[in-house]
Amino acid sequence: MSIISDSLKRIKPSPTIAVTQKARELRAAGKDVIGLGAGEPDFDTPDNIKNAAIQAIKDGDTKYTAVDGTPALKKAIIEKFKRENNLDFTVDQITVGTGGKQVLYNTFMATLNKGDEVIIPAPYWVSYPDMVLLAGGKPKIIKCDEKDGFKLTSKKLQKAISKKTKWLILNSPSNPTGAGYTKNEIEDLAKVLIKNKKIHILSDDIYEHIKYDNFNFFTIAQVSKLKDRTLTMNGVSKSYAMTGWRIGYAAGPKDMIKAIGKIQSQSTSNPSSVSQAAAVEALNGVQDFIQERSDAFKERRDFVVKSLNNIKGITCLTPNGAFYVFPSCKGLLNKKTKLKTDTDFVQKLLDKSNVAVVQGSAFGLDGYFRISYATSMENLQKAMDRIKSFCESLS
Ligand code: PLP
């Protein structure tokens, strides 16, 4: 009899982490691989944040903390929501976890019963369906079209709702497409959700600060009639280049926040004390570098989108946030190229041209691939040249 639990058998390891790992291994074996798979900023954590952590260590801030976050960090989070999103929360409406990922995991574990449905618009961040499955829920994947900017429409949302729907997940700007929902688009979805009173909304705002072309970020809890049913998740990983520090947080209804804390009390106990001190400085300290880094990302985005659209067989939308593009490779999947799927495409690209990207099917939409442009311009230039030569060699 297998030692592995049935619930674990329902899920697969993260495909994006797998690609990053494979690129790392190939590089260690001496291959000149360019990895465009990783979902983290290539910038370093700003010095004021590092110094706050060093100070915390020196001050002996090295013990267990309150289960779901220190009072100082909760205060900083409350102020962040007020300052940036015009949202009011009290301390008992805030939870802090070991990364946004753990906050999401805790949420599903705390709220899903067997068979509860979670609407997940595709393409989606790879972890959503597996977390839902692990918690005993049922992912209801709704494919969003390129012509809609890969975004969920109110019509599709309405159709996806059933008596068993417990959650809708929204992620804007999105991983993997970079698409951001406008205020109008969110209000359109909100109309459907206001009518369907049992549904809760999980808004994953982790890419809030990485946005371009004056895109106005709007989060669904700002629709007052939905605030009581929304869990707004965010974190310091992407905005403050703090992926390794592992701090994420969420704000929402008290009973839900309490339940999330209960799970945490029996798993990690609390997020790292030192990382929490660093996160306080991230949220309260100077914010100038966010814009500077977004400008650097924008330059890369423009370069990558333009380069991809110059390749025969590839088309690519211009996203308004995050650091990903999600180009189509459908024009290259045919008898002549001998490539049938996006997985064939990315595997051959890695084998022949040493560029690691992730197949769209890993995000729930076939015929595409994801590029993370959170790497140097030099790397991107090399990668774009290689992708172009590779695609030309196919025909
Ligand atoms: N949500 C999305 C859409 C992400 O892309 C990620 C990380 O890749 C996370 C949540 C989790 O981030 P973290 O656990 O580092 O806070």
Side-chain angles (χ1 to χ4, degrees):
M1 210 170 69
S2 165
I3 185 72
I4 309 302
S5 72
D6 290 344
S7 59
L8 198 70
K9 284 182 199 145
R10 288 198 288 266
I11 69 163
K12 57 185 182 319
S14 162
T16 47
I17 292 177
V19 167
T20 311
Q21 181 59 22
K22 184 156 187 206
R24 220 176 267 145
E25 282 165 16
L26 288 171
R27 231 176 276 128
K31 275 203 167 186
D32 170 28
V33 171
I34 306 173
L36 303 179
E40 63 179 346
D42 53 323
F43 301 117
D44 199 4
T45 305
D47 279 344
N48 63 313
I49 300 174
K50 288 183 183 174
N51 289 335
I54 292 166
Q55 195 57 47
I57 295 172
K58 285 186 177 160
D59 291 346
D61 209 350
T62 53
K63 306 280 197 281
Y64 291 130
T65 72
V67 167
D68 61 357
T70 60
L73 182 51
K74 286 190 174 186
K75 184 167 176 279
I77 292 166
I78 289 170
E79 285 166 6
K80 178 260 176 251
F81 276 118
K82 184 68 194 164
R83 183 177 69 234
E84 297 184 345
N85 312 108
N86 198 25
L87 288 170
D88 288 301
F89 290 108
T90 50
V91 176
D92 46 5
Q93 289 181 296
I94 305 290
T95 190
V96 182
T98 303
K101 203 170 200 171
Q102 198 208 1
V103 174
L104 294 172
Y105 177 82
N106 287 345
T107 304
F108 293 130
M109 282 301 192
T111 60
L112 290 179
N113 290 315
K114 196 166 181 282
D116 282 345
E117 289 177 1
V118 178
I119 298 177
I120 305 177
Y124 48 69
W125 179 45
V126 293
S127 293
Y128 299 139
D130 290 294
M131 284 188 191
V132 169
L133 285 169
L134 201 53
K138 211 171 141 196
K140 188 145 184 184
I141 309 295
I142 307 301
K143 292 196 177 181
C144 302
D145 296 328
E146 189 176 348
K147 72 169 173 45
D148 297 322
F150 299 114
K151 289 182 267 191
L152 182 68
T153 60
S154 53
K155 212 168 160 186
K156 283 195 174 171
L157 171 61
Q158 182 65 63
K159 226 172 130 193
I161 293 171
S162 82
K163 278 191 190 132
K164 292 192 173 158
T165 309
K166 196 144 200 181
W167 285 103
L168 160 69
I169 302 180
L170 285 178
N171 173 217
S172 166
S174 145
N175 175 5
T177 65
Y181 285 77
T182 64
K183 184 169 185 262
N184 279 346
E185 286 165 344
I186 289 188
E187 284 173 345
D188 223 32
L189 296 175
K191 281 184 199 147
V192 177
L193 296 161
I194 288 167
K195 275 192 286 176
N196 290 273
K197 298 197 184 331
K198 284 193 181 152
I199 303 176
H200 287 79
I201 306 106
L202 209 163
S203 185
D204 179 343
D205 297 356
I206 199 106
Y207 294 98
E208 170 178 8
H209 290 122
I210 304 171
K211 58 192 179 71
Y212 318 110
D213 312 324
N214 298 321
F215 174 75
N216 275 325
F217 176 82
F218 185 80
T219 189
I220 199 157
Q222 290 176 278
V223 176
S224 58
K225 283 190 180 156
L226 292 177
K227 187 172 172 235
D228 290 349
R229 284 196 263 148
T230 300
L231 188 77
T232 307
M233 190 228 95
N234 210 319
V236 294
S237 285
K238 318 284 174 172
S239 305
Y240 300 94
M242 291 176 70
T243 44
W245 299 77
R246 310 307 302 126
I247 295 291
Y249 57 86
K254 287 179 197 168
D255 54 346
M256 201 187 284
I257 293 293
K258 202 170 158 193
I260 290 170
K262 196 168 167 185
I263 300 264
Q264 189 147 289
S265 74
Q266 296 294 14
S267 52
T268 58
S269 286
N270 63 266
S272 144
S273 59
V274 176
S275 295
Q276 289 188 77
V280 171
E281 174 59 21
L283 295 178
N284 289 347
V286 283
Q287 307 286 309
D288 314 2
F289 62 88
I290 291 182
Q291 188 55 48
E292 286 160 23
R293 290 176 176 190
S294 271
D295 291 346
F297 278 136
K298 180 184 165 0
E299 195 190 336
R300 299 172 189 183
R301 177 204 67 170
D302 290 344
F303 170 71
V304 168
V305 170
K306 195 168 165 211
S307 305
L308 289 167
N309 281 318
N310 274 333
I311 301 173
K312 206 170 158 225
I314 303 279
T315 56
C316 183
L317 294 184
T318 304
N320 30 25
F323 37 70
Y324 309 104
V325 287
F326 199 66
S328 163
C329 56
K330 287 181 194 167
L332 294 168
L333 307 180
N334 53 48
K335 275 193 189 139
K336 202 165 153 203
T337 62
K338 296 198 187 80
L339 300 174
K340 284 196 186 121
T341 64
D342 50 10
T343 307
D344 295 344
F345 175 83
V346 305
Q347 269 173 5
K348 202 157 179 195
L349 178 64
L350 183 57
D351 290 346
K352 298 266 178 226
S353 303
N354 288 333
V355 178
V357 298
V358 188
Q359 66 278 16
S361 45
F363 307 94
L365 205 66
D366 298 351
Y368 298 85
F369 59 105
R370 188 193 77 172
I371 287 179
S372 162
Y373 52 86
T375 184
S376 69
M377 236 353 203
E378 194 192 339
N379 262 348
L380 290 172
Q381 268 155 358
K382 253 202 282 178
M384 290 304 126
D385 286 346
R386 288 188 193 178
I387 295 175
K388 191 171 184 0
S389 307
F390 169 75
C391 294
E392 284 171 358
S393 76
L394 293 170
S395 49

